[in-house]
Amino acid sequence: MVDGPVVVVRGEAYREVAPEIARFAVTATARDRDREATLTRLAERAAAVRVLLDAEGPGIDRRETGELRVRPETRRSGERVVAYSGSVTTTVTVTDLTALGELMLRLADQDQVEVAGPWWSLRPDSPAHREARHAALADALRRAREYAEALGARVTALIELADAGAGEQPMMSRMAYAADGAESGPPELEIDPQPQTVHAAVQARFAISEPVLG
């Protein structure tokens, strides 16, 4: 229990920082009247994607195979199968942002492959989060001192501090590029990473000395 006056304030901080990682999706597709031919082509195209990703080495932080779909296509009336289509999607997380555009277009240059993204973000343990929290606490202390000074008092102690909830505001940029099977090489593309907004907020209670009123 604290005797004496108390001031309650909220401190906030906003920071714009460069993204640290990017994610994009690569989808290989196949379609044929024969089911086995569809599966074979899908496996071959997915393998070609894996070869290109393997060649990137440490520039790729992780990759995850998501949705695999193989389905029969039928006529509008009846259940007669006219073709089979399939797709497999891999989500790729990249830390080397300088070569991102080149990698995405190289993947999209593969036969029947679509690339979508990128989605920018920070690492969960990014120093930007800690720096924003420190700045939010400093803002709370500054506000408390301003209120205390207005009353002719001073801040004497911190009573309580709570995270008021905030976090990274992810930014997304979507680029879709589907290969058309042409033999020419992919065009060059420069991708500009989108700044990430980091927001931190705290709720704090400070004890102050007796105000000088009047």
Side-chain angles (χ1 to χ4, degrees), residues 20-21 23 122-126 129 168:
E20 298 167 341
I21 58 178
R23 294 182 177 86
L122 300 175
R123 293 183 178 278
D125 59 350
S126 172
H129 298 296
E168 173 189 351

Side-chain angles (χ1 to χ4, degrees), residues 116-150:
W119 298 275
W120 311 98
S121 63
L122 300 175
R123 293 183 178 278
D125 59 350
S126 172
H129 298 296
R130 181 178 65 252
E131 292 169 4
R133 290 191 292 268
H134 288 185
L137 177 55
D139 181 56
L141 181 57
R142 178 184 60 79
R143 289 169 183 258
R145 285 172 172 165
E146 288 178 354
Y147 284 122
E149 289 173 3

Side-chain angles (χ1 to χ4, degrees), residues 46-60 63 103 107:
V49 168
R50 292 185 66 86
V51 169
L52 285 175
L53 294 177
D54 287 341
E56 287 301 305
I60 294 180
R63 63 193 194 199
L103 171 61
L107 287 163

Side-chain angles (χ1 to χ4, degrees), residues 7-80:
V7 61
V8 180
V9 295
R10 177 184 173 91
E12 294 186 271
Y14 292 87
R15 295 289 186 272
E16 272 201 354
V17 297
E20 298 167 341
I21 58 178
R23 294 182 177 86
F24 63 89
V26 188
T27 302
T29 62
R31 184 179 184 277
D32 196 276
R33 291 183 178 181
D34 181 73
R35 179 171 55 188
E36 292 301 322
T38 299
L39 296 177
T40 299
R41 290 178 185 176
L42 182 61
E44 290 174 349
R45 289 164 184 167
V49 168
R50 292 185 66 86
V51 169
L52 285 175
L53 294 177
D54 287 341
E56 287 301 305
I60 294 180
D61 187 62
R62 63 188 301 177
R63 63 193 194 199
E64 302 162 288
T65 301
E67 186 178 57
L68 170 63
R69 298 185 63 188
V70 178
R71 66 182 182 88
E73 297 179 5
T74 60
R75 294 187 182 277
R76 291 185 178 180
S77 59
E79 296 184 353
R80 180 185 175 188

